[in-house]
Amino acid sequence: MDDGGGGRTLDITVKGLPSISGYFEVRLMDRTHSKLVSLGVLGPDGRAALPVPQNIDLGGCSVVDVSMQRFNGSSDHSGDGLVHGPFSC
């Protein structure tokens, strides 16, 4: 997490991603996994620098989730979580 004066940004790199026909979405979630906040999409190289809105309580969102998503028009979590990790700043 970087707050270099221009706002908060989550810099993320995920290696070894499988080939899929969809895309990989990055979300923040709370400890109970009941609150999800979409931040954006990983690039084809598994990297992204995603803005984190100022109104997101980072104390309450302690998990970074990367899921495999299909191109089906739904913004809901697919249930295909690929990577979960602790969020720290």
Side-chain angles (χ1 to χ4, degrees):
M1 178 65 62
D2 177 27
D3 191 354
R8 302 182 304 182
T9 303
L10 173 66
D11 293 315
I12 183 169
T13 301
V14 180
K15 296 180 181 181
L17 291 169
S19 293
I20 63 171
S21 60
Y23 60 98
F24 298 99
E25 186 161 358
V26 179
R27 293 179 171 91
L28 291 178
M29 65 173 60
D30 65 0
R31 290 182 189 98
T32 66
H33 298 198
S34 61
K35 179 181 177 185
L36 297 167
V37 178
S38 177
L39 295 181
V41 176
L42 284 180
D45 62 353
R47 297 174 187 224
L50 303 168
V52 178
Q54 292 296 325
N55 64 340
I56 301 298
D57 175 14
L58 297 178
C61 293
S62 60
V63 178
V64 177
D65 171 79
V66 177
S67 62
M68 297 183 288
Q69 299 293 126
R70 292 164 190 79
F71 293 114
N72 60 7
S74 175
S75 61
D76 293 340
H77 192 288
S78 66
D80 293 327
L82 182 63
V83 177
H84 298 333
F87 173 82
S88 61
C89 52

